[in-house]
Amino acid sequence: MFLKRIQDNILYKSRLILIIAIVILLLTEFKVAFANIEIERFPVKKFVYIHPQFTEVKYLDWVHGDWSRDYEIRVLVKKDGKWGIFLKKARVLVKPQFDEIEQLSTGFKVKKNEKWGFIDNTVKVLVEPVFDDVYDIYNGLLKIKVGNKFGFVNENGKIEIEPKFEDAKYFIGNMAPVKQNGKWGIIDKTGRFIAEPMYDECVIPNLPPYDKIIIISKDEKYGYVSAAGTTVVQPQFEEVELLNENLVAIKKEGKIGFADISGKILINPEYDKYYSIVGGSDNIRIIAVSKNNHIGAVSMTGHVMFEPAYEDISVVSKNILIAKKNGKWGFITFDGKVKVDFKYDEFERLIDKNFILIKKGKKVGVANLNGEIIAEPQYDYVGDPFLGPTKKDALMTGSKGKRGIIYNKIVVPPQFDVIKFCSTSKNATILTAVKKDGKWTYINKYGKLITQPQFDSVDEYFYSGVAKIIENNKIGFINENGKIITKPQFDGVTPFDDCGFAGVNQKGKWGFIDKSGKLIIKPQFEEISNFTADGLARIKLKGKWGYIEKGGKVIIKPKFNQLGIFKEGLAPAKLGGKCGYIDRKGNFAIKPQYEDALYFVGDTAAVKLNGKWGFIDKKGRFKIKPQYDEVINVYIMGYKDLRVIIKNNRTGLIDSKGNILIDPNFESIEGGNLQFLGYVLLKSTDNKYGFLLDEE
C-alpha cells in the first residue's frame, strides 16, 4: 500500500510537470501575434491597380456611412485554394493564405492548419491562427479556446487570462462571465473574480448599450452586477430586464417594478405587465404598464407618467399619445391629460407623414401629430394621390368619386377628378396639379386655384423651377410660384438649361426664351442645342451647324456638317466628310482628317482613322496610335476623366492624360463605381478578378 502511494505520487507529479510544460509552450507560442499573417497596404493615390489574380470573390456586408466612399466594402478573395480579405476603404489586402474565413461582428476568424486566428474589421488587430477557436473581440480582449478551456488574449495576441474556464462570455466594460466547476462567476480584466462562481447562469443583455449590467441567476431567482463591478444585486427577482442604460425592469412576487443599475428601487413592484412602445417621427420610447386590465405609462427615466386608466395606448409624437377608453380612441398628453375626447372607432398611422387617420364607422378623418383634429371623419379615402410624387405634409382625400387636399391645416374639399402632387423646391408656393371637367390647373399651398381649370395638360415635375402647360396643342411655361411666364403659344420646347434659357419652336423654327418668358432670340434656326455652362449653344441653318452666344450673336458661322461641344478649348467638327477640331473662332486647330472624333477629356481626345480608334493631344499628335475597335467617351463608373477602350471584344481603361490604366484584356467590369465608391472590380479573360482603386 505504501509503495502504491509512492507510485501514485510520482505519476501525479509527472502529469503535473507535463501540464506545466504544455502551458509554458502554449504561452511562448501565443506571444507572437501576427508575424506570419501576410498583408499588403496600397498607397493613397489616384488609380491603384491590383492585377487580376483571384479565382473567386465574395462580397460581405457594407458597413459604416452612406452610399458613398465612406462605405467600407469588404470582399473575401480566393487564390490557389486559399482565402484572403480585401478592404477597399482601408486599402488593405490580407493575402490569401487561410483555409477558411468566417465573418464575425467585430472582424473575421481565420483558419489555417486546423487552428483559428482573428483579424478585426480595420485589419489593425491580427492574431495568429494558433487556437482551437476564437470569438469576437470586445473591450480589447478576444475570447479564445484551447482544448476545452476558455481564456482571453489582448490585441497583440498575448494571453491576458489563461484558458482555464469551462465556458466564458465576452467582456462588457471591465468584466466578463466565466464558468468554473459548473457555476458561473464574473471576472475583471486581470482575471480576478468580482463575483465568485456560485450562479446557475450569467446573461449579457442583448440591448445597446449592453455594457451596463450582467444578469445573474441562482435557484430560479435573478439579480445583476453593474458593469463597473461595484454593485452586485443578489438574485431575488423572478425576472430582470435591462431597458436602457440606467433602467431595469424587475419582477417580484408576480408584480413588475423598476430599478436603476445601482440597484435602487425607483418604482415598487405593483404592476401586472409591462412592454415598450415606440412611436412618432422621433421614435419616442416609453414603457406601458398594466394593472387590473388597464394601461398606464412609465418614462424611460423611471417615473410614473400616468397611472393605468386606459385599454390601450400608442405614441404619436414627443408629447402626445392616442389612448383607448370604453372602446373609443382619443388623444392624451404625456402626463395623462385628455386633449381630444374618446369618440373614434379606430386610428391609423401613416408612414413618413405628419398625420394620423381617425375613423368613425366607414368614414375617415385626419389629425396632426399635435393631437389637433384637422378634419372630422367624413371621407371615403385619405392617403397619397394615385399619380405623381408624395409629400410628407399633404394628403389626398376622396368622397363620392371626387378628390380633395389636406395640406398642414388647410383643407380643400373633394371636387376634383384627378390630383397630382408637384415636385418643386422647398420655397415654392405651388402644391398640386388638379383636373376638373377635363381641364387642368394648379392649387397653391394656401388652397387657392392658380387659374380656373383651362389647360389640356400640365406637368407635375418642375425642372429648374419651371413646368410646361399645354392648351390647344400649344405649349407655355409656369413657374413654381404660380406665375404663367409664357402663355401656351409654342409648337415645341426644350427644358430650361443651366444658363436659364429654354428652346422654343414656332412654325418649325427654333429660338430661345429666358425664365421671365422674354423671347431673347427669335425663332429662326432649324435645330438647336441647349446653352452649355460657358454660354454657347449650337444652331443649325441651311443644314449646317454653328455656334451662338447668349445674346444671340453668331460667333461661329454655320458651315459644319456636324459639330460637337467645346472641351478644353476645342470642339470636334466635321467638314467635307472628315473630322477635326476647331477653336472658339471657328478655325481648325487640328485639320479635318479623321473618320470620327470625340470631345477632349483632359489632355487627349479619341479619333478614328482607318477604322480604328487612337488618342491625340491638343496639337494633333498621336499619343496612342489607332488600334482600338471602340472608345466610349462617357462618365465611366461615375468618373468623368476615364474612357473605356475596346479591342477584340476586350475592355480596358485610359485616363485623361492618355495613360493606359488597364490594357484591353478584360472580359468585363463586374461592379463598383470609381466616383461614388472608390473602386471597380475587374474580370480578366481567364476568369480572374482584380481591382482598380481611386484615391479616397
Side-chain angles (χ1 to χ4, degrees), residues 28 300 318 574 673:
T28 303
M300 296 305 295
K318 62 182 179 181
K574 190 172 187 178
N673 182 298

Side-chain angles (χ1 to χ4, degrees), residues 353-374:
K353 292 288 186 180
N354 294 330
F355 302 102
I356 297 287
L357 300 189
I358 49 177
K359 300 179 181 181
K360 268 188 179 182
K362 295 183 178 181
K363 296 298 181 181
V364 185
V366 179
N368 63 24
L369 301 185
N370 293 321
E372 299 169 315
I373 305 300
I374 306 301

Side-chain angles (χ1 to χ4, degrees), residues 635-663:
Y635 278 46
I636 303 304
M637 300 154 289
Y639 205 97
K640 66 181 180 181
D641 290 340
L642 294 185
R643 273 78 54 88
V644 168
I645 49 178
I646 299 173
K647 187 176 182 179
N648 299 325
N649 293 319
R650 301 307 183 195
T651 300
L653 289 174
I654 187 170
D655 69 11
S656 61
K657 295 184 181 298
N659 300 315
I660 297 175
L661 298 177
I662 302 172
D663 284 318

Side-chain angles (χ1 to χ4, degrees), residues 292-345:
N292 301 324
N293 295 321
H294 286 82
I295 297 173
V298 169
S299 74
M300 296 305 295
T301 58
H303 73 270
V304 176
M305 298 165 63
F306 53 87
E307 292 292 347
Y310 304 104
E311 293 146 30
D312 201 357
I313 60 173
S314 182
V315 175
V316 171
S317 61
K318 62 182 179 181
N319 53 16
I320 297 293
L321 300 99
I322 191 165
K324 189 176 185 181
K325 190 173 185 179
N326 298 324
K328 300 292 184 181
W329 292 91
F331 291 89
I332 63 173
T333 61
F334 266 34
D335 57 3
K337 294 178 181 177
V338 176
K339 186 174 179 68
V340 176
D341 286 336
F342 305 93
K343 56 182 179 180
Y344 302 107
D345 299 328

